[in-house]
Structure formats: structure tokens, C-alpha cells
Amino acid sequence: MTEPKPPANAAASSGATKASPSAGTKPVASGGTSSRRFGWDRGALARRVTALPTPVKWLLIALFVVFLYALPLLEIPIISTPDTDFGAVLFTVASYVLVALGLNIVLGYAGLLDLGYVGFYAVGAYTVAVLGSFQAHLSWWMLIPLAVLFSTISGLLLGAPTLRVRGDYLAIVTLGFGEIIRLTALNTEWLGAAKGITQVPRPPSVEWFEIPHLQWDGFTAFIDLGDTTKFLFFGVADQAPYYWLALTVIFLVLGADRMLRRSRVGRSWEATREDEDAAELMGVPTFRFKLLAFACGAFIGGLSGALFASRQGFINPESFQLLLSILFVAAVVVGGAGNIYGVTLGAIVVGYLPERFRGFEEWRLLVFGVALILLANFRPQGLLPPRRAKRAIAADEQLEALEEGTARV
Amino acid sequence: MSDAPVVERPAAHEGSALLSLDDVSIRFGGLLALDGVSFDVRQGEIFSLIGPNGAGKTTCFNVMTGVYQPTSGLIRFDGEPLGDRKRFAITRLGIARTFQNIRLFGNMTALENVLVGADAHHRTGVVDALFRTPRHRREEREGEETARDVMRFLGLERRANELARNLSYGEQRRLEIARAMATRPRLLCLDEPAAGFNPAEKAQLMDLIRRIRDRGLTVLLIEHDMSLVMGVSDRVTVLEFGRKIAEGTPTEVRNDPAVIAAYLGTETAEEGES
Ligand SMILES: Nc1ncnc2c1ncn2[C@@H]1O[C@H](COP(=O)(O)OP(=O)(O)OP(=O)(O)O)[C@@H](O)[C@H]1O
Ligand SMILES: [Mg+2]
């Protein structure tokens, strides 16, 4: 592959193959930009990738996926964490990504500021812990659906009364929700109170084969048969399998996210975010869709909480501090709310950097605060804003000037 | 579209009432914004609502589309009282509107804006979307056809993939009409669609409004520009301080002493504005 083929046919092959032929619209002349059905202008790199022939594209994607799964085995010198098990760090990052993807539906798509997202995370985690070891001993395969069910229900219960109020109130009410969940756990013996819950069930293991890790000597890598990961054993020492589990869940969530985004559901969420009254007047039952966004967010939040608990083996109310909610929101906003690549990047930044630089633990929050201030000033839409937002800013002033002459009421 | 001289058609549209307001009042605190307003909009006509600033025209739209509940009075659409239907349900019933100050979904593409309108009659939910059920596919196809058709009708098809907020002012006004039309209304309510337009654009708009009517829609128009209103309307209702002061064909209304009196006071202001 030397250089991308002229995108003559690439446009048609880029996913929107079944664009209705009856639509007599002539696409805008330039490149592959208009190829996607709801296409907005994508970055130069993305466009170049889009222009690649389909098989090459799939190959690249497959390679990247393999790379992601192999990450804990590669032991790449600079990014691997020296002090902690890299598999464990990767799991932490992955669970941040998962949470960010869930919160992105609520915050990025539907535009609802949820400051108590940790509450759903806690409900998921506590379901697994309480019903898996403390009060009952259900199997892990039962616990995960139950955890998701309970967190989704809690999302509906929280959303039904609060989503009728707007903006600032929602932030405050959800903030309270997160704390109430934590305080309830803290003060209820049945839920383990301050001592927490131990012996949380781990995912069921199988022991099929062992995969060796790489070892690096300068720039040469060789296979180290002395350092292996058992496939697929969910233990304490080697946490790569948890990461693989979380990564798989992430891919499933990404797929679902994409399906929803490109449907009536996603459009309704975005319309609600853009202008709730106008959306309602165009036939969108906005309350229902806000509640739906809340439920979807709670579903994913509960799922990641459940994974967290079954990796951790032990939970107590300390694990679900308010700060975590703030970090979750930060991950979404830092990355660029509304863009799944953005929020993924944001989650990686928020989840990985502190782990990589554990030595500077006391400085963490300070550095984080400074970074946020810089970001707010220089990239208020996040590191990777949705492409649309970026162009929208440019058009903002122009529009205001135009509207000035006519806007009444 | 047709360049036949603008004739008023007094008896041409004796159709039944599509929308009727019966003694509708609404009070905001101490202000009676609508005071016993009654009028009928008949099937297939172009009906205009005029009056000085603050007369209650937009408020009329707002009570018709469920934004406000009237304090008293009854609104019927196609013979059925609107009751306390939700706003989205009223849209599904067949009333669509545009806004005096543009309210598009700025960060969505023009096509997506129109698709939201087309979605008004769709039922696709999470399960349909996740598993791409036949319903999802049918509704997507149908929505896209509607959207393309409406956008072509308004001359926006080349701008389909542009962000709504990046469109020119005139295009945004037309996109609002496209979005409303995509909900497949029987009654289309336009709130000052010509605001900020130059005479050439106003002439085009006049033509557009007629073509909309020719597609079988009933048009309810709020407009300040008198030549536009007089040129396009079948009937006109005049509001002042929330009360109806006149109703009739453009000629009748133009010669009505009460209307002349109401407009004399604002004549200079109107001219200063346009
Ligand atoms: N939500 C509201 N609360 C209080 N007063 C309102 C509200 N909506 C409208 N009004 C008042 O009702 C009156 C009628 O307003 P409306 O917007 O209907 O006028 P209009 O005829 O559309 O005028 P314009 O030509 O300026 O658009 C005004 O005095 C306005 O201030
Ligand atoms: Mg008005």
C-alpha cells in the first residue's frame, strides 16, 4: 500500500452502500466527504482511512483489535507500568472507557448533566457483591444480568421524577443520588456497611492454554516462556483476563452505541439536546427519550460497576466516592462529549495517566486541576470534539450577527 | 410558480374548518394575551394572522401547538378538541410550525434536522435500532425518502450534509419549513417566514407558500409584510391587543376602518423595521 487509491469507488464502499437510489441528490463535488449518509466533514486522517479499499480497511481494523487484546502481553517498555501489574492498569483504563461511553449517551448525546453516575456504578458493584457472596451465592452468570437490571431500574427511578426538571436541578439531584447510594451502603449492615464485602465472586475461569509474554531488551523483543498468562484464568496475580473481558464488553457497547446513534433514537437524543422545545414540537417525545438515555447510561454504568466488583474481589463504600463521578464527567468532557473517540481518549487520559505516574500521587489532583483549566481555555469542546461542534464554533458569530436583525420574543 | 395575476378567491375555498379557535383566551399574570379569539382555518386555504407587535399572533401559535394551555376556550383540529394533548402528539395529529426566531438543531446536519421531523410518525425504539429490525429499516427508508423529497421541494438538497448552523440565513428559514413539512402536517403554521428577507426573497417565498398549498396543505401564516400577506392570502384575521378586530378577504381587511386605525399608529414603526 503506497498511497490511497483515488476514492472513485471508495465513497460507495464506505458503509452507506444502500443509500436510496431514488434520492436524486448530487453529492457535493469534493472527495469522499459526502459519502456517508449523514456525513459531516471528517479529519484528513480519517478521510484517508475511509478512502482505503475495503479489505485493507478491515485488515487494519483487525490488526488494531488484535493489538489491543495483545497489549498486556507485549510489555511495551514506555507505556507499561513499572510498579503495578499492567493488566490491572489496563483493566482500570478499560472500565473508565466503558463508564465514559455510558455517560456519553447521557451527557454527550442527550445533553443531561449527570453528576451522580457513580451511583449506577455502585448499584452494579453492590448487586454482584451482595448477591454473590454476602447474602446469597448466585452464579456469576446470574449476577451480571441482575446487576444491569438493578442499575437500569435505579436509572429509571431516578430519571422519572427528575428529568421533568431542567438543567441545573438535574445536576444537583443526580449529585445527591450518587451520595445517597454511597451513604445507604455505608449505613446498612445488610449491605456490608463500612466494612464492605469480601469474597466477591470472580468470573468463572477455564484453563485452556498459556500465552507467553514478550520481553524487551533495548529495541529487540523475545518471547519469554517464563512469564505467561493462563487463558482464561481470572485470578488475583495476573489481571490480563479481566482486561480482555472488559475490552470485549467495550466492543459490544461500541457496536450498540453506533446502532443507536444512527437511528431515530440517536437523532431524538441529539434533537433534545440541541433544543428541547423545538424537538418536542417536531414530534419527539423528549421526556421519554431523556429517560431512555438515562436508562442506557445506567445500564452501562451498572455493567462496569459489576465488572469492577468481580475484578476487585472486595468493595466498600470508599470505592464509590463523589470524586469518581467528577472524574467520569471529566473523562467525557475532556475528551469531547458526543464523540466516542473523544470520550475514549478522555477516559484513557483520566484513567491511565494517574496509574502510569503513581509516584506523583499527591500531585495528581493539582495537575489535574491545572490541566482542566488549560483545557477549558484552549479547547473548551474537549480534546477530540465531535467534528460538527468544531465547525459550528466558527459559524457561531456569523449566525449571531445575522439573527440580531430579526430575533424577537 | 404560476404567474397568473394574484386573484383573490373568496368562494373557492369554502372547505370545512380544519382548525377552529372558539373564544380562546390566555392570561399571563396581569396580561390578557388572547382575549376571546375565534376563527376558523378552512381546509386548503392560505390564512393569515396579522397585527401589530405584541398583538398575540405567536401566542396563538403557541396555544394551537400545545405550548400553552388556553385559560379558557376551545381549540379543535379537524373537529376534535385538542384537549391537553402533549406537544408531540399535536404534531402527530397534523399541525406543524416554524418559529419566529429560528430554532433549528444547529449541530445536526440539514438532513438530520428534517429526519427528526419525519420521525414524528415513527416508532423505532432501542430494540429496533440495535437489531436493525424490519421496522427500523422501513422507517429509515421512508424517513429518508420524505426528507429528500421535502428538501428538494425547498431547494435544499445540495445542503443536506451541511450543519444546520452553517447554512445561510435564508436557507435556515427554508430548512425550518422543510423540517415542519417532513412531519407530514395537514396544517402548516409559519411564524414570520419572511423576516429579514429582501424583496426578491419575499417574492420567492410567496411563490413557495402557494406551492405548499398546492401540495394539499393548509397554510396559516403570521407575517408583517403587508404586500406579501395581501398577495398570498385567501383570508386574513387581524389581532390587536389579543382581540380579533377584523376578518375577511385581503381587500375587505385592507379597507376595514378598525384595521386602518390599528395600523395607523404603527405604520411608521413598521416602515422603519422593514
Ligand atoms: N410566556 C409568556 N409570558 C408572559 N407574557 C407573554 C408570554 N408570551 C407572550 N407574552 C406576551 O403576550 C403578548 C403577545 O405576544 P406575542 O408574542 O404573541 O405577540 P406577536 O403578535 O407575536 O408579536 P410580534 O409581532 O412582535 O411577534 C406580548 O405582550 C408578550 O409580551
Ligand atoms: Mg410573534
Side-chain angles (χ1 to χ4, degrees), chain A residues 306-338:
Chain A
L307 293 182
F308 166 78
S310 45
R311 190 283 300 254
Q312 202 78 349
F314 163 77
I315 60 167
N316 69 6
E318 288 289 295
S319 322
F320 308 99
Q321 298 280 1
L322 173 65
L323 181 65
L324 210 51
S325 274
I326 310 287
L327 282 179
F328 292 160
V329 171
V332 171
V333 174
V334 164

Side-chain angles (χ1 to χ4, degrees), chain A residues 408-409, chain B residues 28 31 33 51-59 68 100 192 224:
Chain A
R408 293 202 210 91
V409 174
Chain B
F28 296 116
L31 177 80
N53 289 128
K57 306 181 294 294
T58 301
T59 305
Y68 303 132
Q100 182 166 354
E192 302 197 20
H224 276 294

Side-chain angles (χ1 to χ4, degrees), chain A residues 18-20 22-28 33-41 164 166 255-260 262-286 288-289 292 296 387-389 391-396 399 402-403 406-409, chain B residues 53 58 65-67 86-89 91-92 95-109 111-112 115-117 119-120 122-126 129-132 136-137 139-141 144-145 148 152 157-158 161-163 165-169 172-173 176 179-180 183 192 195-196 224 273:
Chain A
K18 59 176 196 302
S20 66
S22 68
T25 53
K26 281 129 216 104
V28 202
T33 333
S34 63
S35 62
R36 298 227 359 274
R37 225 178 48 178
F38 309 132
W40 44 87
D41 195 12
R164 295 184 196 275
R166 285 189 188 201
D257 182 276
R258 186 187 169 95
M259 292 297 164
L260 291 179
R262 298 183 178 184
S263 75
R264 168 173 179 247
V265 177
R267 284 194 295 272
S268 302
W269 281 338
E270 286 196 272
T272 307
R273 175 197 68 203
E274 291 292 303
D275 188 330
E276 193 170 332
D277 290 315
E280 182 89 18
L281 283 164
M282 290 305 133
V284 179
T286 55
R288 243 179 267 169
F289 275 100
L292 184 61
C296 290
R387 294 218 66 84
R388 6 166 128 209
R391 291 198 309 172
I393 302 165
D396 233 4
L399 192 84
L402 271 168
E403 272 205 334
T406 53
R408 293 202 210 91
V409 174
Chain B
N53 289 128
T58 301
T65 52
V67 176
K86 294 262 169 51
R87 290 170 289 176
F88 67 85
T91 307
R92 287 175 184 173
I95 304 180
R97 67 177 285 182
T98 65
F99 300 90
Q100 182 166 354
N101 43 344
I102 298 175
R103 296 184 73 166
L104 289 165
F105 310 126
N107 289 319
M108 299 171 78
T109 65
L111 178 61
E112 285 171 317
L115 284 172
V116 170
D119 280 335
H122 292 167
R123 291 285 176 277
T124 294
V126 171
L130 283 182
F131 299 104
R132 293 305 197 232
H136 166 87
R137 277 178 277 140
E139 291 185 347
E140 283 298 296
R141 201 177 332 111
E144 189 150 338
E145 267 163 33
R148 297 277 180 194
R152 193 158 41 227
E157 73 269 36
R158 285 170 168 279
N161 291 327
E162 203 62 52
L163 285 185
R165 63 196 315 169
N166 290 355
L167 298 181
S168 74
Y169 176 76
Q172 294 198 359
R173 285 252 171 235
E176 271 217 332
R179 184 179 65 177
T183 67
E192 302 197 20
H224 276 294
E273 191 187 333

Side-chain angles (χ1 to χ4, degrees), chain A residues 329-405:
Chain A
V329 171
V332 171
V333 174
V334 164
N339 178 355
I340 50 171
Y341 304 107
V343 300
T344 303
L345 179 66
I348 292 173
V349 168
V350 170
Y352 171 72
L353 291 186
E355 293 290 342
R356 177 67 186 78
F357 302 103
R358 257 180 185 271
F360 307 90
E361 203 147 30
E362 299 99 276
W363 297 87
R364 247 200 244 183
L365 283 177
L366 181 64
V367 172
F368 196 62
V370 172
L372 276 187
I373 292 170
L374 289 178
L375 198 76
N377 275 295
F378 296 109
R379 281 192 88 86
Q381 300 279 320
L383 294 171
L384 278 182
R387 294 218 66 84
R388 6 166 128 209
K390 205 146 95 183
R391 291 198 309 172
I393 302 165
D396 233 4
E397 291 159 22
Q398 195 189 342
L399 192 84
E400 260 161 36
L402 271 168
E403 272 205 334
E404 220 150 71

